[in-house]
Amino acid sequence: MISKVFGLGLGLMLSGICHADGAAIANTGVEAAPACQTCHGPAGEGVAQAGFPRLASLGAAYLQRQLDAFADGTRVNDVMMPIASALSDADRAAVSAYYAALPEPASLAPAAEPVSASAGASLATSGRWADMLPACEQCHGPGGRGVGPDFPPLTGQSATYLSNQLTAWQTGARPPGPLGLMAVIAEKLSEAEVRAVADHYAALESAPPDSAAATPPAAGDLPGDPPRADPTAPAASAVFQPPPESELPAGEFGDVVRRGREIFIATPHAAPTYVGNSLRCVSCHLNAGRLADSSPMWAAFVSYPAYRSKTKSVATFQQRLQGCFMYSMNGRAPPLGAPELVALESYAYWLASGAPLDPKIAGRGYPALEPPAQSADFIRGEKVYAENCALCHGDDGTGQRTESGYAVFPALWGSDSFNWGAGMGRISNAAAFIKANMPLALPGTLTKQQAWDVALYMNSHERPQDPRYTGSVQGTRDNFHATGDSMYGREVAGKVLGASGGEKTDPE
Ligand code: HEC
Ligand code: HEC
Ligand code: HEC
Ligand code: HEC
C-alpha cells in the first residue's frame, strides 16, 4: 500500500515529462522507474526463481494492457503497481513495443519434474469438456506458445508466475481481460490443477524446433485421461458418454482408430489430398468429436445409413463423410473405402461403443434454434461479431495463425473457409452451432437473437464456390439454395454472393 501511494505520487510529479524511448526505459530506467531488465532480464526472458515473468515477444497490446492495469490498480501487484504508475502513457506504449519486438527466448533452464504431468498436459491439450473447459492450447496455440496480439505465450514463464496469475483471476486481483475469458477459466480450476498446469508449461521449452511448432496440438500423442467428470454434474448423466481415450484399443484396429482421431483433429495435416482449407473436423465438432450438442461422432455413427434430402438418396456413414470433405473442408471426396474414410469411420464406431442404435439419441447435431422474434439482421450481427467474435476470428473473419502457419482460430469466411455448399453455410445450422458452442469457453452466453444475427452476418460474406455450381449463380441458387436459409445468390453491399467464386477449381 505504501509503495502504491509513493508510486502514484511520483507518477503525478512526472506526468508532464514524456520519455517514450522503449529501449532506454527497459535497459537503463527512467527517473521514477528502475530499469525493467533488472528484474525481467537483459533479453526480457524473466527470472523464473524470482517469479519475474518473461516479457520478450509477448504482444504489444497485451503488454500495454497489463501496464495500464497495474497503473490503475485493477491488476494488483505491489512491485509492478508503482513502476507502471511512474510511466506515462507514451512510456508504457514504447516499452511494450520494445519487448514485443524482442525475440522469443531460445530455451529455458530445465525445470523441476512436473508434479502431476498428466493432469497438467491433459488440461493443456484436451481441456475438461464435462465442465465446458476448452484446452488451454485452443487459445494459447500449439505448445502454449501464444498467438496474435491478445493471447500471450505460457511457455517461458515460471510455474510460480503462472500459478500466481491463475490465482489472481480466482481472487479478482487481476482484471478479467478480453471477454472475461481467463476469469471464467481460472474459476473452473482446482488448486491442484492450477499447480499441475503451471508446472506443465514451466517445463516446456519456449522455442521448440520449427517442425514441432507446425504440428497441431494433441495430434498423435495422447495425454492422460482427462480428470473424470463430477458424477453429480447434470451434463454428464443426461447424455451418452463415449469411452475415455485411455481405453483406446490396442492392436491393429486400435491403430486405425488412432489414425481416425488424428485425421479428425489435424485434418489438413493428416489428409492433405482431400482438404482445400485450414479447417479441421474438430473446428465444428468440438472436443475431438466427443462433445454433445456439437454434432458428436458417436451420435452420427448410430444414425446412418439415412435418407438425406440434400442428395435425395440413402447415404451410408462413409458417404456422409465424403460430403464433409467436399463442402466443409472445401476439398474433394476420398473414394469409398479410402484409408482416410475407414479410419474416420473406425474412430466414430469406437466413440459409439455401447451407444444405442438410435438416430434420435440425445446430444446429436446442434440443438435446433427456433427463429428469433425479429428476423436476423446484418447490422446487428456485425455488432455482435465485433464484440464477441473478432478477438479470435479476426476483424476480417479470416482467423488467426501462428508464425508457422497453424490456424489456431479458423476462418469463418473467405477463401480459407468452408464453401457455399457446406452445412454451416445454412443460417439455421450456423445459429444453432454458435449458440451452443461459441464464443469458445463461453457457450450459451449469446441470446437466440444474437446467434441468428451473427450467423446471418457470417454467412453474408464471400466464400469458395459451391461444388455443385451449375454455371450460373441464379441456377445454382434455384437448385440448391432456394430454402431462404442461405445467402448464396443474394445481394449484400452491392455484390451478389457466390458470383466472385466463379467455377470451382479443382484443389489439385
Ligand atoms: C523489481 C522487479 C521488477 C521491475 C524493476 C520491473 N518488473 Fe515488471 N514484473 C515484476 C513482477 C514480480 C511481475 C509479476 C507481477 C504479477 O505476478 O502479477 C511483473 C510483471 C510485469 C508484467 C506483466 C507480464 C505478463 O505476462 O502479464 C509486465 C508487462 C511488466 N512487468 C513490465 C515491466 C516493465 C515495462 C518494467 C520497467 C519499466 C518492469 N516491469 C520492471 C517485477 C518487476
Ligand atoms: C478461450 C480462450 C482461452 C483459453 C481456453 C485459455 N486462455 Fe489463458 N488467456 C486468454 C486471454 C485472452 C489472455 C490474456 C488476458 C489479459 O489480457 O489479461 C490469457 C492469459 C493467460 C495467462 C496470463 C499470461 C501472462 O503472461 O500473464 C495465463 C497464465 C493463462 N492465460 C493461462 C491459461 C491456462 C493455464 C489455460 C488452460 C487451463 C488457459 N489460459 C486457457 C484466453 C484463454
Ligand atoms: C465448417 C464446419 C464443419 C467442418 C469443418 C466439418 N463439419 Fe461435419 N458437420 C457440420 C455441420 C454444420 C453438420 C450438420 C450438417 C447438416 O445438418 O446439414 C455436420 C455434420 C456432420 C456429420 C453428420 C452428423 C449427424 O449427426 O448426422 C458427420 C459424420 C460429420 N459432419 C463429420 C465430419 C468430418 C469427419 C469432418 C472432417 C473431415 C467434418 N465433419 C468437418 C460442420 C462441419
Ligand atoms: C476465444 C476465442 C473464440 C471466440 C471469442 C469465438 N470463437 Fe469461434 N472458434 C474458436 C475456435 C478455437 C474454434 C475451433 C474449435 C476447435 O478447433 O476446437 C472456433 C470455431 C468456430 C466456427 C466453426 C469453424 C469455422 O471456421 O467455421 C464457427 C462458425 C465459429 N467459431 C463462430 C464464432 C462466432 C460467430 C463467434 C462470436 C459469437 C465466435 N466464434 C467466437 C474460437 C473462438
Side-chain angles (χ1 to χ4, degrees):
M1 198 57 213
I2 289 174
S3 61
K4 184 180 176 188
V5 172
F6 176 65
L8 284 174
L10 284 174
L12 287 176
M13 271 162 53
L14 291 168
S15 55
I17 308 167
C18 179
H19 306 286
D21 176 349
I25 297 167
N27 298 315
T28 54
V30 292
E31 287 85 336
C36 318
Q37 60 130 334
T38 52
C39 293
H40 291 285
E45 74 278 20
V47 180
Q49 304 85 319
F52 301 148
R54 154 191 172 188
L55 303 180
S57 91
L58 272 65
Y62 172 80
L63 289 170
Q64 200 174 341
R65 208 163 49 235
Q66 305 317 309
L67 290 171
D68 292 347
F70 286 129
D72 69 20
T74 51
R75 182 168 170 182
V76 181
N77 180 267
D78 288 341
V79 180
M80 278 308 298
M81 287 192 309
I83 294 175
S85 357
L87 299 173
S88 68
D89 286 352
D91 288 342
R92 284 181 223 140
V95 76
S96 297
Y98 171 77
Y99 279 112
L102 289 186
E104 196 171 333
S107 81
L108 299 149
E113 193 59 19
V115 182
S116 171
S118 77
S122 172
L123 286 167
T125 61
S126 303
R128 191 175 63 237
W129 284 94
D131 299 318
M132 294 310 272
L133 179 64
C136 312
E137 307 204 346
Q138 282 178 273
C139 287
H140 290 280
R145 298 177 66 218
V147 57
D150 290 302
F151 299 90
L154 304 179
T155 49
Q157 303 293 19
S158 67
T160 311
Y161 176 74
L162 292 171
S163 60
N164 283 348
Q165 302 316 303
L166 293 167
T167 311
W169 272 306
Q170 290 173 338
T171 59
R174 182 167 169 169
L179 294 180
L181 289 167
M182 278 312 297
V184 170
I185 286 162
E187 196 164 279
K188 294 182 177 179
L189 300 176
S190 70
E191 220 181 296
E193 286 174 330
V194 164
R195 266 201 315 275
V197 76
D199 283 341
H200 170 76
Y201 280 112
L204 289 184
E205 284 195 1
S206 65
D210 259 5
S211 59
T215 313
D221 80 308
L222 299 175
D225 207 6
R228 269 283 177 205
D230 174 1
T232 60
S237 50
V239 296
F240 173 78
Q241 296 291 310
E245 297 198 326
S246 56
E247 285 170 22
L248 271 164
E252 278 154 25
F253 177 67
D255 291 344
V256 175
V257 170
R258 271 169 241 267
R259 175 86 184 121
R261 181 187 180 279
E262 192 195 349
I263 295 171
F264 201 86
I265 288 177
T267 324
H269 183 77
T273 326
Y274 303 112
V275 173
N277 59 26
S278 308
L279 299 190
R280 304 173 281 267
C281 308
V282 70
S283 303
C284 305
H285 304 276
L286 300 190
N287 188 20
R290 306 170 70 93
L291 186 65
D293 295 342
S294 185
S295 194
M297 288 303 110
W298 43 265
F301 185 82
V302 298
S303 304
Y304 291 86
Y307 178 79
R308 298 196 69 214
S309 52
K310 186 169 184 172
T311 53
K312 300 194 175 49
S313 61
V314 170
T316 63
F317 191 70
Q318 283 204 13
Q319 285 169 324
R320 182 67 188 83
L321 294 176
Q322 286 182 316
C324 303
F325 280 98
M326 277 171 67
Y327 304 110
S328 293
M329 306 306 302
N330 191 36
R332 25 187 216 109
L336 293 176
E340 288 83 354
L341 294 187
V342 173
L344 284 167
E345 186 179 26
S346 303
Y347 175 55
Y349 165 76
W350 174 73
L351 286 175
S353 306
L357 202 56
D358 175 10
K360 292 202 163 57
I361 186 169
R364 184 178 174 199
Y366 309 121
L369 201 61
E370 292 296 304
Q374 299 170 274
S375 52
D377 178 73
F378 183 93
I379 301 288
R380 280 199 310 263
E382 184 173 31
K383 187 161 176 277
V384 175
Y385 184 83
E387 287 168 3
N388 300 279
C389 321
L391 173 73
C392 297
H393 294 288
D395 292 336
D396 62 356
T398 59
Q400 293 189 65
R401 295 163 173 275
T402 61
E403 272 167 28
S404 55
Y406 179 78
V408 176
F409 300 115
L412 301 189
W413 61 81
S415 59
D416 200 27
S417 189
F418 54 89
N419 67 39
W420 278 112
M424 196 63 86
R426 289 171 53 195
I427 299 162
S428 57
N429 272 342
F433 168 82
I434 291 164
K435 172 84 173 120
N437 296 287
M438 289 291 139
L440 188 72
L442 307 171
T445 55
L446 298 181
T447 63
K448 182 164 82 172
Q449 184 73 53
Q450 287 175 315
W452 275 87
D453 290 341
V454 77
L456 175 119
Y457 175 74
M458 171 175 94
N459 281 336
S460 295
H461 289 86
E462 200 50 281
R463 54 179 69 259
Q465 184 59 277
D466 191 325
R468 302 163 297 181
Y469 187 63
T470 60
S472 83
V473 171
Q474 188 58 47
T476 310
R477 175 163 176 85
D478 292 346
N479 278 319
F480 307 112
H481 297 271
T483 57
D485 199 12
S486 165
M487 294 301 289
Y488 184 93
R490 303 232 204 143
E491 196 177 306
V492 172
K495 290 209 171 101
V496 176
L497 292 167
S500 76
E503 197 100 30
K504 179 175 159 56
T505 47
D506 197 309
E508 262 191 318

